[in-house]
Each structure stands twice: as C-alpha cells, then as structure tokens.
Amino acid sequence: MRGESEVPSSDDGFTIPVAERVKRLPPYLFGKINKLKYQKRVAGVDVIDLGMGNPTDPPDPLIVEKMSEALSDPRNHRYSVANGIANLRKEVTSRYWKKYGVRLDPDSEVVTCIGSKEGFSHMCLALMGPGDTAIVPSPSFPVHVYAVMLAAGNVIELDVRQPDQFLSNIAYTCEHLYPKPKVVVVNFPHNPSATVIEQDFYVELVRLARKYSFMVISDFAYADICFDGYKAPSFLATPGATEVGVEFTTMSKGFSMAGWRIGFCSGNSEMVRALSTIKGYYDYGLFQPVQIAAIVAMRHCEAAVDSIAAEYQMRRDVFCDGLERLGWEIDRPKAGMFVWAKIPEPWAQMGSIDFAMKLLDEGGVAVSPGRGFGEDGEGYLRMAIVENSQRLRQAVKQIGKVMKSEEITADK
C-alpha cells in the first residue's frame, strides 16, 4: 500500500521516496475549502473571498510609475545581489529611525527578502537543526510552525491571546525543558487572533532572552495597519533587542505590494549574516525594479500607508457592525487585516471547518476556519477585511441568510 508521500513514476511500481521533512508535514487543512472555492468560481459563482489576507487595493501610482521606469533600464534585468541593493537597505534603516527611533547599520543589520515569509523560512533553516526547539505563538500562522519543522526543529506552541501569560509560559518552558528552546517567535499584531501588545512586553521578552539564552524572531508583518490611535511597537525599539533577535517587516500590507514579494529582516548582525549566507546559496536576489520602486515607496508614500490603514479601519467597523447585528460577539481588532470571531451557538457545534464549508457552499463567502491555525483556533473564524465596504456588507447579508436557513431547518 502506497503512502501519500510515495509518488509512482510509472506503472511498474517504481516510487519516489520523498524526504522525511516532507513526510512530517500534515495534510493541508485549507485544502477542502480551496477546492470548493475553485469549483464555485468555475461554476460562475461570485465568491466573496475573506479567507486570505490578500490586499485588493493597488499600490500608490507613484510606486507603479517608478517600477515602469525601472523596467525600461536594461541594467535592471540582470541578477541582483542576494541581500538587496545598498540604497534600499539604507531606506529601511531610515524608516526604522523615523518611525521607531531605531538605529541600524544597513550593511550588517538589514537584508532584503523575497517577502517576509521567505525570509522567516530561510532564517529557521539558518538557525535550527535536529534537536533544536522553537516556541511559537498559538493559534499559529502556519509558516511559524512548518518552517521550523522543515528545518528539522521541534515546535512548542503556546497560547498568545493573553500576552502576560504567554511570557510566563515561555519562562516556565525554559526552566523545565532540556535542552532549552533555541528560538522564540513572536508575531504582533498577531495573525490570526489580532492580539496586540505594548512596548513593555518586549522589555520582558528581551530580559527572558538574556536569562535563558534564546534568540527572538519578531514577525512584524502587520506593523502598518493599526486602528483607533493604536501604534504597534517594534521589537527592535526595545533596549538590547538587537543583541538577541531580529524583526521581519514587509511591504505587502501597508503599501499594498503583496504580489511584489518584498520584505526585510533587520536586527542582530550575526542572525542577519546567517540568513544572508543561506540566501546567497538559494537565490540571486529580488528583481531590481521592484527594489527601486520600494525605495520610492518608503521615501515618498508614507501618507498612502496612513490612508490604507484608515480604509481598513472603516472596513473593520462596517463588517463588525454587521456581524454584531447578526448576534456575533466581536472583539474589534486594534490592528491587522483580520477579524477573529468566535462562532456563535449553535453553529459552533459544527466545528470551524464544517461551518466555514457551509458558509462557502451555501453563502458564497470564503473564510478561514480557526482549526487551520491549530487546536487553539477551534471555535473561531478568521475573516480578512480585504474587500471594499460594499462587498463586506454583502458578505454579512449572505452569512445572515445561511444562519437564518439553519434556524429554519432546526425549527422543522
């Protein structure tokens, strides 16, 4: 009997034994939903897709114009450098200084990544190996778990929704686990739960990192999307942070450049050097016109970032208002692109995957089931506020119809 990871290459029974690291990966929990979403669209159904944090807004026209200009220069079509062109790395350090008061060396403390997800994954490969352990926040963004696993490391998931308790659990784990965890991953504003913290959280985290000798990787992907006056603190703004860790940022969210795949790793020079070494073997760097456009974006388009954040706040309010009218109890997020909503009774009894499938099948609304982010996510849905307000209102109506039909069925 053939295992899932053994692929036949011909009819004579020859199989391809894939690597153990691939066999360790579990079945993709979003697979059923993605398959149904595809089938719906092929059938002509207008699916309102709130399942992925994929911005629908275009970048500022100035960014696109600069990209177009850079494309016309034949020199920009050659291989680039793996760690990013110098002027781009300097612009990253300038933005860190202006926004967070953090001084960084562009030559030794910044490296350009092909999106923060690629950078995070390769950082795990640079830092971890068999027997090493990483603490990751739970509910967990999948790459935080599986990048560690692909690097042959072990994962300990700790519930992050009460940040003070999360810190206590880190300390407890370090006291009782041998060997101690090598890496602690943090992700605030958190995906998927939208949990946020203040700077004092990082002060304590740096203290623990020094005490227990673990490295910190901060995934700061949603730094630019904040609401109601809240400002997400940077890990690197904490005294001593660059001695123990790095921070990943991205232009996908605030600059609406998701498909451009550009992000950065900044902080501890040895960790940055390790990532640069890995990237030197794996890629030739990001397409240079994208890097040139990113310089213009950070230098001249900060107002557009503020405008995008304001747009997401309006969408959040429209969507949450609508769900609350349907009887959902909503914790309005202070940051990020997601509403993390507890499924109301009696629908919660279905389980998050089946309820998400029901919303897609009967209502044409795609969402992410909380179970897809680990056991701590069960009973919740993650819904991305990436569509415009009108589409979000329509999504609420269609969700309401599904819930109403279920009530009618139950009455009968």
Side-chain angles (χ1 to χ4, degrees):
M1 188 170 183
R2 191 175 71 243
E4 288 184 2
S5 57
E6 296 176 322
V7 183
S9 60
S10 66
D11 294 333
D12 62 4
F14 186 84
T15 59
I16 303 299
V18 301
E20 284 299 322
R21 69 177 64 88
V22 176
K23 294 178 182 178
R24 292 179 67 191
L25 296 174
Y28 188 53
L29 283 172
F30 297 115
K32 287 171 59 179
I33 290 175
N34 288 341
K35 182 178 179 181
L36 180 58
K37 183 167 61 177
Y38 173 76
Q39 292 170 345
K40 289 281 185 183
R41 284 178 167 161
V42 168
V45 176
D46 179 21
V47 175
I48 301 176
D49 192 354
L50 311 182
M52 183 179 179
N54 192 6
T56 57
D57 309 276
D60 187 281
L62 186 62
I63 303 172
V64 178
E65 181 182 334
K66 190 62 181 181
M67 174 72 160
S68 180
E69 177 188 317
L71 284 169
S72 66
D73 187 341
R75 294 173 300 178
N76 290 329
H77 293 266
R78 303 177 68 189
Y79 290 127
S80 186
V81 290
N83 64 337
I85 59 178
N87 284 341
L88 177 57
R89 287 182 280 111
K90 288 176 183 175
E91 206 60 44
V92 173
T93 64
S94 177
R95 191 167 192 252
Y96 256 105
W97 172 247
K98 287 183 286 189
K99 288 200 70 168
Y100 307 112
V102 175
R103 292 191 182 277
L104 295 166
D105 181 343
D107 294 324
S108 64
E109 296 180 323
V110 179
V111 59
T112 302
C113 305
I114 307 173
S116 58
K117 184 176 181 181
E118 173 270 323
F120 178 87
S121 300
H122 279 149
M123 179 61 85
C124 290
L125 200 60
L127 299 181
M128 305 200 71
D132 293 332
T133 299
I135 292 175
V136 303
S138 178
S140 304
F141 183 52
V143 74
H144 293 158
V145 174
Y146 301 126
V148 175
M149 291 175 60
L150 286 169
N154 303 311
V155 175
I156 294 177
E157 298 178 72
L158 299 179
D159 196 328
V160 77
R161 288 170 289 186
Q162 296 182 38
D164 288 345
Q165 187 62 48
F166 179 67
L167 287 170
S168 297
N169 289 339
I170 290 173
Y172 181 88
T173 303
C174 290
E175 287 284 355
H176 293 84
L177 182 70
Y178 182 81
K180 291 180 172 59
K182 188 174 185 180
V183 173
V184 170
V185 178
V186 289
N187 168 219
F188 299 105
H190 183 240
N191 176 17
S193 75
T195 301
V196 295
I197 46 87
E198 299 294 344
Q199 197 75 52
D200 58 353
F201 174 93
Y202 289 135
V203 172
E204 177 63 10
L205 183 62
V206 169
R207 188 189 73 80
L208 292 175
R210 285 171 166 166
K211 180 177 180 179
Y212 296 111
S213 299
F214 59 73
M215 293 173 284
V216 175
I217 301 177
S218 167
D219 181 350
F220 204 27
Y222 297 92
D224 294 322
I225 309 296
C226 297
F227 315 133
D228 305 323
Y230 173 74
K231 299 294 183 185
S234 165
F235 165 70
L236 295 184
T238 311
T242 56
E243 298 172 17
V244 299
V246 294
E247 186 159 81
F248 283 93
T249 51
T250 176
M251 302 192 75
S252 294
K253 320 303 181 186
F255 291 94
S256 293
M257 295 170 66
W260 299 54
R261 306 313 303 133
I262 182 163
F264 311 98
C265 174
S266 308
N268 182 271
S269 59
E270 282 302 305
M271 294 171 71
V272 167
R273 184 192 59 79
L275 175 58
S276 297
T277 300
I278 290 289
K279 287 178 64 61
Y281 282 93
Y282 272 90
D283 70 71
Y284 283 107
L286 191 66
F287 188 38
Q288 196 149 292
V290 174
Q291 298 188 59
I292 293 169
I295 293 171
V296 170
M298 286 188 281
R299 191 174 291 169
H300 299 295
C301 300
E302 202 64 50
V305 175
D306 295 337
S307 177
I308 287 290
E311 172 67 21
Y312 279 115
Q313 180 172 327
M314 181 175 68
R315 294 175 187 176
R316 176 204 64 176
D317 291 339
V318 164
F319 192 56
C320 290
D321 286 347
L323 290 178
E324 286 168 350
R325 285 194 294 271
L326 294 179
W328 293 59
E329 293 182 8
I330 301 293
D331 234 350
R332 297 199 179 204
K334 290 184 178 181
M337 301 168 65
F338 306 107
V339 172
W340 179 249
K342 188 173 183 178
I343 303 170
E345 294 294 349
W347 300 278
Q349 297 174 23
M350 297 179 64
S352 62
I353 295 176
D354 287 344
F355 186 59
M357 290 288 288
K358 184 178 183 68
L359 291 181
L360 177 55
D361 189 33
E362 299 178 19
V365 179
V367 299
S368 292
R371 184 63 182 83
F373 304 98
E375 292 183 8
D376 287 332
E378 184 52 78
Y380 290 81
L381 297 180
R382 192 196 72 174
M383 295 176 275
I385 46 177
V386 292
E387 296 279 5
N388 63 43
S389 295
Q390 182 178 345
R391 294 274 285 172
L392 290 173
R393 290 189 183 96
Q394 184 61 36
V396 170
K397 288 181 182 178
Q398 291 170 206
I399 290 171
K401 287 180 181 179
V402 173
M403 295 172 69
K404 188 66 175 176
S405 68
E406 186 70 15
E407 287 177 355
I408 294 171
T409 303
D411 289 342
K412 289 180 181 180

